[in-house]
Every structure is written in C-alpha cells, then in structure tokens.
Amino acid sequence: MGTEREFLRKRLHSTLVGESGDPDHPANSFFTRRYRTLVADAGQSLRRGVDSGELRADIDCAAEAQQLLAIMDGLQLQWVLDPEAVDMVARLHGYLDRLYRTLGTAGTGLPAHAVRPDESPTGPDGAGDCPAEGQ
C-alpha cells in the first residue's frame, strides 16, 4: 500500500504524535487541536446521519468518533510497524462496514456509494493532515 515516501511520512506522523503527548513538546498543541477537530468533524458527520434517520438515534456521536479515530490510529501504527502484515485500507473498510451494520437503522453494511479510502480523490493518506505537507 502506497509509496516509500507515504510510509516514511506515516512513520514520522506516528512518532510525532507519540512524542507530543508530553505537554512541553512543541507539537503538543498542534496535535491536541488536530484530534479535537477530527473528533468534532467525525461526530458532526455521525450526527448528520442520526438527524437524517440513517443512523440510530441513541448513538453517542462523540464517543463513536473517538473510537473511530482510535481504530484508525491503531491500524496506522500496526501498518508502520509491519506493513506486509497489515492491509490498513481493507481493515478500516471492514471495521467501518461492521460499525455501519451496528449503528445504521437498516442493519446493513456500508452503502454502495461509500468510497473506500484507497479510491478517494485525496487517497488513503489523509492529505493535509501534516503541517509539512508537500515539503
């Protein structure tokens, strides 16, 4: 999956996130804001699904958003450690399919129009998630 540059970028990202857990680290405020924004955005997307009736009304959107980010980060970390053993895109797609079966009102998997991350216009690497993007 992906290029050597993408792999190195994800490894650097994982390292920086881990190191920025120290409140005195220069990247701490960046990653704290980034995660708050990502959780809020994911939570808003889930809330729109609830409001439209696509997702169950009893969902704790903030908690589901935090769990989704934890899954994504965990898969990325496993992939960085052993890229040959982890198909990050397939694992995430499988997780999202199971999550949608659980949270969706229809009880079915992801809708046919759902795009796999490796098919999205920005690709699976979440373009724009790194302050040094394009450098």
Side-chain angles (χ1 to χ4, degrees), residues 20-104:
S20 72
D22 177 352
D24 294 327
H25 191 279
N28 176 273
S29 63
F30 170 80
F31 283 109
T32 300
R33 282 191 318 272
R34 178 178 182 271
Y35 275 93
R36 285 182 184 150
T37 299
L38 290 172
V39 168
D41 289 350
Q44 288 173 359
S45 292
L46 291 168
R47 175 57 48 203
R48 284 192 298 274
V50 169
D51 292 345
S52 73
E54 185 177 359
L55 301 178
R56 292 190 345 250
D58 63 338
I59 294 171
D60 181 341
C61 295
E64 293 296 341
Q66 287 173 330
Q67 292 173 47
L68 173 60
L69 277 243
I71 292 290
M72 292 169 61
D73 281 351
L75 286 170
Q76 180 170 302
L77 182 59
Q78 290 177 50
W79 177 74
V80 165
L81 292 171
D82 192 357
E84 299 301 315
V86 178
D87 184 341
M88 188 170 52
V89 172
R91 296 290 180 264
L92 180 59
H93 193 266
Y95 169 77
L96 293 174
D97 187 69
R98 286 187 305 280
L99 182 64
Y100 192 79
R101 287 177 194 281
T102 302
L103 301 181

